[in-house]
Amino acid sequence: MEEKEPSSSKSRSKKSKKQKEAIKRVPESPEAKQENIQVKIQVFQDQQKKIPPLVAYFPSGYNPNPQEEEDGPNNNSKRPRVKVYRNMAQNKHNRLEVVVSPNGSNVDFVGSSYRGEAAAAQLCRYSLGVLDKESGTLKIVPIASNKIFRLEPRVRGLETAKKDDLDSARTELTAETKEDKMGELTALYGTKKDRKKRKDLLALKKEVDPESQKSLDKKIEQVAFNKEALGDTIALIARNIPPHDSSATSPQDAYPLDQIILKGDWEFLEEDIYRLWQEGGEVSSNAYPTFVCNRIKKLEAIEDEDEKWKLACLFSFITHLLKFNDQCKVDRVASAKNHKIPNVLLQRFHSMFAADQESKSRSPDQINRLISYVLVLTLHADQFRTDPRDIAKDLKMSPINLRTHFENLGCKRIHEKTGVYAATLPVPLKFPSENLKRKRRR
């Protein structure tokens, strides 16, 4: 046995060498070869008047071309009929519905871009690539409505199928439901900054406890109303002024800044002018209002870092309000078109100063309310002695027309040595309606 072992090992090595040589001699199949092609890529954008290609699948396993291999690709007699419906209403051009009807069957396969799976949160984008080897081009086109259609079977003419479809989870999601789903995804996979924004937004939308609301209603019923005071309150509401304290002994307390700029707003405001100032950047007159540009040098004279941060954030809030005002105008001022307002502030601006978020239409009361908020912030920025000419230019108003708004806030005009008038805020606040009543009594 000991003499045979070397011969067996030699025979094995010879066999392995022969097998390797045989493998090398086997010719490679043409299908296994990888062909490298240099192509020119063409990317096409979505066009509103044209429907991009549709991509759909059948989860039921239905094959729309079962006889193609036998009858050839040019035989269209047994292929199903395909119809595409498009909603032509305004702002609904991306609502598409695909209906595939097999020949000789009363079952239709239906899929839409606004119901069921397609209505879920959009986490990625889809495109279709078409390779033309002859011309050497790869055309990349967008998918219709950026959705993959799921074609579900429906019995033709059966009303219960439609009813079940409406009652199931495949119904069209409302804007509130979509917002909730996006919020859940943000809480799970969003960045720390996005989660903080969502938390602040939920705090703004937090509803009052029903039990506490009931007890509050009972207390209100027991209060004896003063008709004269109620009339004065109605007059204040008509002027659309910010939250205030008529009995305050200082101008800062007359219009508290923390009731205009909320606690959660400061974090989003420091990313603008304050950050730009720290990095040594310059405030461009094309991107910021005249009022801010003419007062940005005040930051150099402030030694306290907290006061400097507060004034810079105040300038940013004034900028966002003025840009929002320009964005809501019919002519849409060009300088405000690309200005980005933090989402938390933008939603609050819409609720306070704009009636319709889509059309951005505003009533005179909402316009006057925004002007009042801007003027109060300018008073805080100028230590309650402000020259109205700069802010009048930013609001596209004359200083004379702006006087009424200052008077409704309880301000007075003071003649400066330079020959211009400045607006000041004496305390306690005295509004025009109160002054008129006192003159009549005398």
Side-chain angles (χ1 to χ4, degrees):
M1 295 296 292
E2 293 180 357
E3 294 178 355
K4 293 181 180 179
E5 285 183 358
S7 61
S8 62
S9 61
K10 289 182 181 180
S11 61
R12 288 178 184 176
S13 62
K14 290 180 180 180
K15 288 181 180 180
S16 62
K17 289 181 181 179
K18 290 181 180 180
Q19 289 176 355
K20 290 181 180 180
E21 292 176 357
I23 293 172
K24 291 181 181 179
R25 292 171 185 171
V26 174
E28 295 182 358
S29 61
E31 296 179 356
K33 293 182 180 180
Q34 294 183 354
E35 183 180 1
N36 295 328
I37 304 176
Q38 293 184 353
V39 297
K40 180 180 179 182
I41 299 177
Q42 296 179 354
V43 181
F44 294 86
Q45 302 296 331
D46 191 6
Q47 298 182 11
Q48 187 174 0
K49 295 182 179 179
K50 296 181 179 180
I51 300 179
L54 304 175
V55 177
Y57 71 98
F58 298 87
S60 61
Y62 167 72
N63 185 5
N65 299 313
Q67 301 296 331
E68 184 171 328
E69 296 181 357
E70 299 178 4
D71 301 338
N74 298 324
N75 187 7
N76 299 325
S77 60
K78 296 184 180 181
R79 289 186 178 182
R81 290 178 288 108
V82 180
K83 293 184 179 180
V84 180
Y85 299 94
R86 183 173 186 172
N87 194 328
M88 298 305 296
Q90 187 177 7
N91 299 327
K92 294 183 179 180
H93 295 286
N94 61 340
R95 293 194 171 191
L96 299 175
E97 186 169 309
V98 181
V99 179
V100 178
S101 302
N103 289 326
S105 175
N106 62 343
V107 175
D108 294 332
F109 293 88
V110 182
S112 66
S113 63
Y114 57 93
R115 287 182 181 175
E117 186 180 86
Q122 186 84 24
L123 301 179
C124 58
R125 300 180 63 86
Y126 299 98
S127 298
L128 178 66
V130 181
L131 176 62
D132 188 350
K133 291 185 178 180
E134 295 182 359
S135 60
T137 58
L138 175 62
K139 298 181 180 179
I140 300 177
V141 295
I143 300 301
S145 302
N146 198 23
K147 303 288 184 182
I148 303 296
F149 291 80
R150 177 188 176 97
L151 300 179
E152 296 283 356
R154 296 287 182 271
V155 179
R156 194 178 305 161
L158 191 60
E159 295 296 332
T160 56
K162 297 181 180 179
K163 184 177 180 180
D164 293 340
D165 181 56
L166 292 175
D167 294 337
S168 64
R170 291 187 292 271
T171 56
E172 182 179 0
L173 297 177
T174 62
E176 185 177 357
T177 307
K178 288 182 180 179
E179 185 178 352
D180 293 340
K181 289 184 178 294
M182 288 300 296
E184 294 175 0
L185 290 173
T186 302
L188 291 174
Y189 309 108
T191 61
K192 184 178 180 181
K193 186 175 181 181
D194 291 336
R195 291 197 300 269
K196 181 66 170 58
K197 288 182 180 180
R198 179 176 176 268
K199 185 177 179 181
D200 295 336
L201 181 61
L202 292 176
L204 291 174
K205 293 184 175 182
K206 188 176 182 180
E207 298 180 356
V208 182
D209 184 13
E211 296 298 328
S212 62
Q213 185 66 35
K214 291 180 181 179
S215 61
L216 181 62
D217 293 339
K218 292 181 180 179
K219 293 179 180 180
I220 291 175
E221 292 176 357
Q222 299 174 359
V223 175
F225 290 100
N226 186 332
K227 293 183 179 180
E228 184 177 354
L230 185 60
D232 293 341
T233 304
I234 294 174
L236 295 179
I237 295 174
R239 280 195 291 269
N240 293 299
I241 62 178
H244 60 279
D245 183 5
S246 301
S247 60
T249 56
S250 65
Q252 290 82 359
D253 296 333
Y255 288 98
L257 193 60
D258 57 355
Q259 295 189 27
I260 300 176
I261 304 178
L262 304 182
K263 184 178 180 180
D265 297 341
W266 297 95
E267 179 184 354
F268 302 99
L269 296 174
E270 69 180 5
E271 298 295 333
D272 189 16
I273 294 178
Y274 182 72
R275 191 71 63 197
L276 182 65
W277 182 265
Q278 282 187 327
E279 296 174 356
E282 296 183 358
V283 175
S284 173
S285 59
N286 296 330
Y288 291 91
T290 305
F291 180 88
V292 174
C293 293
N294 291 344
R295 289 161 176 78
I296 197 67
K297 292 184 179 180
K298 284 186 175 183
L299 299 176
E300 296 179 355
I302 300 176
E303 297 180 358
D304 189 354
E305 192 65 26
D306 291 337
E307 290 296 326
K308 184 182 296 185
W309 170 81
K310 185 177 181 180
L311 182 60
C313 293
L314 183 60
F315 286 154
S316 297
F317 197 88
I318 294 174
T319 301
H320 292 320
L321 269 178
L322 292 173
K323 295 297 183 180
F324 177 80
N325 184 52
D326 291 340
Q327 290 174 0
C328 291
K329 291 183 178 180
V330 178
D331 52 354
R332 307 290 172 91
V333 181
S335 60
K337 184 178 180 181
N338 298 324
H339 181 78
K340 294 182 179 180
I341 303 174
N343 292 331
V344 173
L345 298 179
L346 184 61
Q347 293 186 7
R348 187 146 58 89
F349 290 170
H350 277 297
S351 63
M352 295 175 63
F353 310 120
D356 188 356
Q357 187 171 354
E358 293 183 358
S359 63
K360 297 184 179 180
S361 60
R362 298 183 296 169
S363 65
D365 289 341
Q366 291 167 331
I367 297 174
N368 293 334
R369 187 182 301 127
L370 186 144
I371 295 174
S372 297
Y373 271 74
V374 171
L375 297 184
V376 167
L377 293 173
T378 59
L379 288 169
H380 277 277
D382 285 347
Q383 301 299 318
F384 299 94
R385 191 184 187 96
T386 182
D387 182 354
R389 290 179 296 177
D390 292 338
I391 199 62
K393 183 178 179 181
D394 294 326
L395 290 170
K396 312 296 186 296
M397 299 174 61
S398 65
I400 298 176
N401 294 335
L402 210 59
R403 290 178 184 176
T404 305
H405 294 278
F406 274 112
E407 291 175 355
N408 286 335
L409 294 170
C411 296
K412 286 187 177 181
R413 290 185 300 143
I414 295 180
H415 190 270
E416 300 281 8
K417 294 181 180 180
T418 56
V420 299
Y421 286 94
T424 61
L425 186 67
V427 289
L429 295 178
K430 295 179 182 179
F431 299 102
S433 60
E434 297 178 2
N435 296 334
L436 290 174
K437 287 181 180 180
R438 290 179 179 177
K439 290 181 181 180
R440 290 177 181 176
R441 290 175 183 175
R442 292 178 182 176

